[in-house]
Amino acid sequence: MPDTLAAQAATRPTAWKQTALQGWGRSSLSPCLAARPERLRELRAALDAPEGRTLIAHGGGRSYGDAALNTDGAVVVTGRLDRILGFDPATGELVAEPGVTFADLLDVFLPRGFVAPVSPGTAHVTLGGALANDVHGKNHHHAGSFGEHVLWFDLLLADGRMQRVSPESDPALFQATIGGIGLTGLVAALCFRLMRVPSNALAVRRRRVRNLDDFLAGFAAAGGATWSVGWIDALAGGASLGRGVLETAEPAESGIEARPAKARRFPIDAPGWLLNGASVRAFNEFYWRRVPASGQQVTVPYRQFLYPLDAIEGWNRMYGKQGFRQFQCVVPPGPGEAALRQLLETVAAGGNASFLAVLKVMGPQGQGMLSFGMPGYSLALDIPARPGSEAIFARLERITRDAGGRIYLAKDSLLSAESFAAMYPRADEFRAVRQRVDPHRRLSSDMARRIGL
Amino acid sequence: MNETWLILGASSAVARAFAREAAAHGAALLLAGRDMEDLEHQAADLAIRHGVSALPMRFEARELASHAGFVAECRQRAGSGLLNVFLAFGVMPDQAEADADPAVAAGMVEANFTGAASVLGVLGPVLEAQQGGTVVALGSVAGDRGRKRNFLYGATKAALLVYLQGYAARLSGAGVRVLCIKAGPVDTGMTWALPRLPFMASPREFAAAAWRRAGRGGGSAYLPVIWWPVMTIIRLLPTPIFNRLNI
Ligand SMILES: Cc1cc2nc3c(=O)[nH]c(=O)nc-3n(C[C@H](O)[C@H](O)[C@H](O)COP(=O)(O)OP(=O)(O)OC[C@H]3O[C@@H](n4cnc5c(N)ncnc54)[C@H](O)[C@@H]3O)c2cc1C
């Protein structure tokens, strides 16, 4: 008797609820059925979505567009699967469930002298999300993207099988899943290597940069830096086009006193008029002038350098109810330099209130079939969702494509299927793997349908 | 800290959060439940995050005959340290489901009350013998007054509360503190699919508050505290009005 009861409890149907999810840009609401498994057994059960609906994983919800949305389909929220399963301090090898976040890693491992080898710009990203978008950090130019550090992962396939996938065991499935925007299966655990650091702090140098040429020269000169990133005032045009602040950082030999991080919360959906040209211009100007003309050298905790935006929780509400979109592309060196100028001119001319744009030098092509990273320059900027903003995106997409660059799926909500095909040359290889592991397309998302996968 | 917390029903989200809280304060953990795969994940997590010892243990609330052996093993595993108990197991099937199927109703009573009374009964002498320790059990605001929506669940939690009152009285001489938490809805798998509930706490907030409250002594406590005024009003509503409410 007790055993049958236990069996009943074990096979209890997954709790699904009708809800509506948004990407980080909040530019659209997506109704769906959602489950939030708390353990592996429930994750397995969630694979069987009601009414034969298609399914997609949803991690921290930090993708700006529709990578983790499945309108009228089913969505599996993975944040409660947040256990660290193994750690070897000798090698730095970490095994964890997919809902563990970069914030968890910082809390647990920085005091022991380890950090994630690659980290995106917010600590709220989950490891599952990091794998699925093959994310990059400010050290992409020599650390590559997240997938480069992954040794294996456990993938729950559409047919219910759990497979441990490594570059040796199934290279195609490995490369399809890294950067595969959740379409090959549900990652149930992953193993990657943390990086040793001497202290909890970074020695950061900042300097003002007058324009785009100055920036590119600055990056070239800073090629040896462990981390580097450029903040561009996207409203500055003319001779100041591309002006901004170049930041480079190295691990600091000695640490600084750790203060508990306390985020402030952005209280409301800001009214639309708040982000007008003048207010953003003033902010960007302030940001530029904050750095003394002679440059600046400071020692800051990792959190502050890696995740500056996390200081204000829910900052995405600053763009008001209509939300915003982010544009991020990478363009190859050479033709990319002219493209960067065109991209910045397009945005500056549109007078689109964009806070600081981010310029990074990118390193090697990622191994994922749909990995974003490739040698060149990456430019990211926010544009409020307003009438007319889609036309600007179409122009930015065109410029990127013509320069032989690509748009980052983690940020995207508008890329056309045609441009996707032009930008991601391994898409057919990806389709073939998907045909093998999910012939009935049980996994799908708004993004997958939009870009024709 | 040479203390161990025995977590009964350790796979539940609230129990998991409480175990993390205890581990963060340096306590060793005994994680008792049925889903061994999950308990192993949890044990690894606690050991890595907090450097404490954490052991998965098989426990089935409805197998009353197994409780004596289980408790003996817990005592032994806790070594010379103080053994504390967090009792979190329980099920909450739909009232309608329980109305329609007596086996579901009986299963709930068995798990939520009979199983709890049995394992606490066996733990009693162990706690008395160590002359100290804390027992925290998850009651529910649903136990304050039987509501149409879930009075069977509420009844099991009301029974647990009364049991704990007497249990506390009996163990008070031995310096054992017994706390019944009258929990409001917590954002867990149990409440995920329910219509939006008021004053929902995250498991983490709830566990932190439960830990702090347990440090202040036994008795009973509403968590989140907002449920104290709310339930006071609900308890005082005249029956004819209460019966017409759809809560
Ligand atoms: C402020 C900010 C800064 C950012 N900075 C950077 C940056 O510097 N570099 C960068 O690369 N990115 C950056 N991003 C983007 C972000 O890193 C990616 O969008 C990342 O994928 C988000 O992960 P998530 O956990 O939020 O997952 P979601 O956004 O919820 O999901 C992302 C994808 O992962 C899939 N997924 C999630 N979990 C699983 C799983 N368990 N199994 C299978 N698939 C899964 C989803 O299906 C989806 O396709 C930034 C985002 C923000 C908001």
Side-chain angles (χ1 to χ4, degrees), chain A residues 221-451:
Chain A
T226 305
W227 286 276
S228 63
V229 61
W231 304 95
I232 291 188
D233 174 358
L235 288 178
S240 301
L241 186 83
R243 118 182 138 164
V245 174
L246 175 62
E247 267 185 7
T248 55
E250 296 303 327
E253 280 313 314
S254 48
I256 55 181
E257 207 187 318
R259 267 173 301 157
K262 185 133 178 77
R264 290 167 203 276
R265 178 185 286 276
F266 199 82
I268 47 158
D269 289 331
W273 49 260
L274 184 67
L275 286 195
N276 57 29
S279 62
V280 176
R281 208 173 292 277
F283 175 84
N284 287 358
E285 179 81 23
F286 160 77
Y287 198 88
W288 196 69
R289 300 231 171 257
R290 195 184 60 135
V291 177
S294 56
Q296 191 180 47
Q297 188 151 3
V298 289
T299 304
V300 303
Y302 273 86
R303 190 182 295 273
Q304 196 179 320
F305 177 75
L306 293 176
Y307 315 119
L309 288 168
D310 288 355
I312 303 167
E313 201 177 311
W315 62 264
N316 54 344
R317 302 181 69 180
M318 190 167 62
Y319 286 92
K321 276 209 171 57
Q322 294 143 303
F324 67 109
R325 295 194 177 84
Q326 185 165 91
F327 170 81
Q328 183 173 358
C329 69
V330 57
V331 288
E337 292 171 18
L340 283 180
R341 190 160 284 116
Q342 280 175 288
L343 292 167
L344 286 170
E345 273 163 1
T346 305
V347 176
N352 282 281
S354 175
F355 279 97
L356 305 163
V358 179
L359 183 66
K360 280 190 268 220
V361 174
M362 302 292 282
Q365 168 69 51
Q367 63 184 311
M369 293 172 185
L370 304 183
S371 282
F372 166 72
M374 66 176 207
Y377 304 103
S378 155
L379 179 70
L381 42 87
D382 296 340
I383 295 181
R386 301 275 152 80
S389 62
E390 299 194 5
I392 295 181
F393 272 89
R395 253 173 278 150
L396 301 177
E397 177 178 319
R398 189 77 237 174
I399 297 167
T400 305
R401 191 177 153 183
D402 289 347
R406 62 170 66 120
I407 283 174
Y408 190 13
L409 299 179
K411 310 292 179 77
D412 173 60
S413 54
L414 292 171
L415 181 65
S416 65
E418 195 204 343
S419 291
F420 168 72
M423 294 172 176
Y424 287 86
R426 296 181 71 191
D428 278 335
E429 263 180 87
F430 180 80
R431 288 190 182 93
V433 174
R434 207 163 157 227
Q435 179 62 29
R436 162 159 72 95
V437 296
D438 183 17
H440 306 297
R441 303 286 183 276
R442 307 234 346 248
L443 293 152
S444 185
S445 65
D446 287 357
M447 171 169 277
R449 291 183 288 270
R450 175 167 57 80
I451 62 178

Side-chain angles (χ1 to χ4, degrees), chain A residues 22-315:
Chain A
Q22 286 184 311
W24 185 246
R26 305 171 77 231
S27 57
S28 65
L29 255 185
S30 161
C32 60
L33 280 182
R36 189 183 58 190
E38 291 179 339
R39 37 184 149 150
L40 198 51
R41 159 178 302 195
E42 294 173 4
L43 183 73
R44 285 201 200 93
L47 208 50
D48 205 2
E51 305 151 19
R53 290 177 184 229
T54 62
L55 192 80
I56 195 72
H58 189 96
R62 256 56 186 190
S63 293
Y64 284 70
D66 52 4
L69 303 180
N70 194 13
T71 303
D72 299 329
V75 169
V76 179
V77 180
T78 59
R80 290 284 164 101
L81 302 168
D82 66 346
R83 270 77 61 88
I84 297 171
L85 303 177
F87 179 63
D88 180 352
T91 58
E93 271 174 43
L94 175 82
V95 181
E97 290 184 332
V100 169
T101 64
F102 286 84
D104 293 329
L105 298 185
L106 210 54
D107 287 345
V108 177
F109 295 107
L110 184 56
R112 300 178 208 179
F114 288 94
V115 297
V118 163
S119 182
T122 168
H124 301 298
V125 166
T126 65
L127 297 179
L131 185 97
N133 268 316
D134 194 16
V135 302
H136 57 269
K138 295 165 184 162
N139 56 355
H140 188 266
H141 53 292
H142 53 91
S145 51
F146 186 76
E148 303 305 310
H149 307 270
V150 173
L151 300 161
W152 53 260
F153 47 82
D154 285 337
L155 191 63
L156 186 57
L157 298 170
D159 64 7
R161 272 181 307 142
M162 181 79 80
Q163 192 173 323
R164 179 155 296 183
V165 185
S166 70
E168 297 77 36
S169 76
D170 191 338
L173 186 53
F174 191 80
Q175 293 170 22
T177 303
I178 287 178
I181 47 172
L183 296 174
T184 57
L186 300 172
V187 173
L190 65 162
C191 172
F192 65 102
R193 222 175 256 129
L194 296 179
M195 171 173 96
R196 238 183 208 298
V197 290
S199 79
N200 67 354
L202 289 164
V204 178
R205 300 166 73 99
R206 298 194 186 105
R207 72 174 186 85
R208 285 190 198 173
V209 174
R210 279 166 299 136
N211 56 37
L212 190 59
D213 286 335
D214 198 10
F215 240 127
L216 301 184
F219 271 121
T226 305
W227 286 276
S228 63
V229 61
W231 304 95
I232 291 188
D233 174 358
L235 288 178
S240 301
L241 186 83
R243 118 182 138 164
V245 174
L246 175 62
E247 267 185 7
T248 55
E250 296 303 327
E253 280 313 314
S254 48
I256 55 181
E257 207 187 318
R259 267 173 301 157
K262 185 133 178 77
R264 290 167 203 276
R265 178 185 286 276
F266 199 82
I268 47 158
D269 289 331
W273 49 260
L274 184 67
L275 286 195
N276 57 29
S279 62
V280 176
R281 208 173 292 277
F283 175 84
N284 287 358
E285 179 81 23
F286 160 77
Y287 198 88
W288 196 69
R289 300 231 171 257
R290 195 184 60 135
V291 177
S294 56
Q296 191 180 47
Q297 188 151 3
V298 289
T299 304
V300 303
Y302 273 86
R303 190 182 295 273
Q304 196 179 320
F305 177 75
L306 293 176
Y307 315 119
L309 288 168
D310 288 355
I312 303 167
E313 201 177 311
W315 62 264

